[in-house]
Amino acid sequence: MTQGITARDRQARFATYAAFAVQGLCFASLVTQVPKMQDAHHLSDATLSLVLLMVPLVAGVGSVISGALFQRIGSGPVLRVAQPAVAVMIALIGLTGDNDIALYVAVAAFGLFVGAVDASMNAQAVAVERRYGISLITGFYAVWSVAGILGGLWASLSNKVDLSLFTCFAIAAAVGVAVSLSTSHRLYRRAEEGTGPSAEELKAAGRSVPWRPILVVGAAMAVAYLADAAISNYGAKYLDDELSASDWVAPLGYVAYQITMVISRGVADFAVRRSGAVQVVRIGGLVGIVGMAGVVAAPNAGFAIAAFAVAGLGLSVIAPVSFTAAGRVDPTGLGVAVSRVNIFNYVGFVLGAAVVGAIAPMSADHGLRIAFIVPTALILVVFITAKGFNPSPVKGADPNAPAMERPVA
């Protein structure tokens, strides 16, 4: 399958791994410091929720803008500019001090560049997969998660030794910029990425892909990402505010969540082959509910960190199996069904930030504990839709085709 792979292809693959690593590091370094950012700016819970909601909303704009640039200049140049910009933005967020306007501008810019990186690094990964002729996506997202774990551990260490927010962010940013600048010149250029289907071809193909099975698995996908957004955006704050965790302990909930996601996704394919997608999704949903219920009921930070780990173990299998199910109903070979399912991860992430952010300020003492009940209850949707993860295949569809997804934060 990999005959004809050249040194140039291996360089592009390595550079794409590096891009996923930098993104995971920068994102984790920022979200695990949400409690300190709130304290530094004296933000109310309601204002904080709006700031956090801004990121996925503006990221969607960045993704659309960058996608429009791909046909002209390719995804490589976009990634080479946007990725160092993401790293610089987290350093600037640390520099905003107590200037709220500067914070809003910096966070909006961060979201814009995050969306551009999200789209362009995935485009590079698609090009690498196309060239190799095999599915490589699990490896890219494993690198993202491992870098996210390192980012969370760095936030914990920096809080332990009492570094300022700016110092914490600046060091992570410096690593990100250095890695990006030293590797991004090896990304595929526009001519090397190959040509994708035209707009007319995609429109014609879309008519042959049924919507009903997409909506079924998409609902489960949205729920999984809603829970993911709650954990990513508010996990550290929950440990800090409601469970009185030390500053250095608060980031560890995210770390535990990411560690079990890596472990779970490492064995998910084997589990699906052995027991089937429906059974794996049901077990994943059950484990996810147990984990989220543990978060809600946690009497202390240690218990909550363990519960975050259990939640990650279960929730992590839903997205990959969703894309596999989409492949079974897509006869086009153009990724139309996968693109449609992918919409639901953005829907879930935006709803997660919005729903938890709206409920949390309602109670000064237990707002986040109450807010986490919502994603816990909604995971029941996974059980309701589980049969949809084994749809009747459409003639001409390839259930084993590589599928792209946005990384769970």
Side-chain angles (χ1 to χ4, degrees), residues 177-194:
V177 169
V179 172
S180 181
L181 294 181
S182 64
T183 60
S184 61
H185 64 283
R186 297 179 177 178
L187 295 166
Y188 280 132
R189 294 179 289 274
R190 183 183 182 282
E192 297 173 305
E193 289 187 66

Side-chain angles (χ1 to χ4, degrees), residues 68 90 108 116 142 165 192 206 231-233 249 400:
I90 67 170
L165 266 181
E192 297 173 305
I231 293 170
S232 299
N233 289 330
V249 172
N400 298 313

Side-chain angles (χ1 to χ4, degrees), residues 80-93:
R80 292 181 69 176
V81 172
Q83 186 145 72
V86 166
V88 170
M89 284 305 113
I90 67 170
L92 291 180
I93 288 172

Side-chain angles (χ1 to χ4, degrees), residues 208-294:
S208 66
V209 178
W211 265 104
R212 187 178 182 279
I214 301 298
L215 293 173
V216 172
V217 298
M221 167 85 85
V223 167
Y225 275 99
L226 191 155
D228 178 77
I231 293 170
S232 299
N233 289 330
Y234 290 97
K237 179 174 168 58
Y238 179 58
L239 292 172
D240 182 75
D241 285 6
E242 300 202 14
L243 298 177
S244 302
S246 302
D247 285 347
W248 70 271
V249 172
L252 297 181
Y254 181 86
V255 171
Y257 176 68
Q258 287 291 342
I259 288 173
T260 54
M261 290 190 80
V262 172
I263 295 171
S264 183
R265 286 186 170 175
V267 300
D269 286 340
F270 173 78
V272 170
R273 289 194 296 268
R274 179 175 180 140
S275 304
V278 173
Q279 187 71 3
V280 168
V281 168
R282 282 176 174 161
I283 293 173
L286 176 62
V287 173
I289 287 178
V290 170
M292 292 301 295

Side-chain angles (χ1 to χ4, degrees), residues 4 46 61 69 71 75 95 101 105 166 185 187 194 201 203 207 216 241 268 275 280 296 308 319 354 371 375 378-379:
V61 176
L69 293 173
Q71 292 184 352
S75 61
L95 263 182
I101 299 300
V105 172
F166 171 69
H185 64 283
L187 295 166
E201 289 173 321
K203 185 175 180 180
R207 289 192 289 268
V216 172
D241 285 6
S275 304
V280 168
V296 173
F308 282 132
L378 286 177
I379 297 174

Side-chain angles (χ1 to χ4, degrees), residues 52 66 257 302:
L52 295 175
S66 62
Y257 176 68

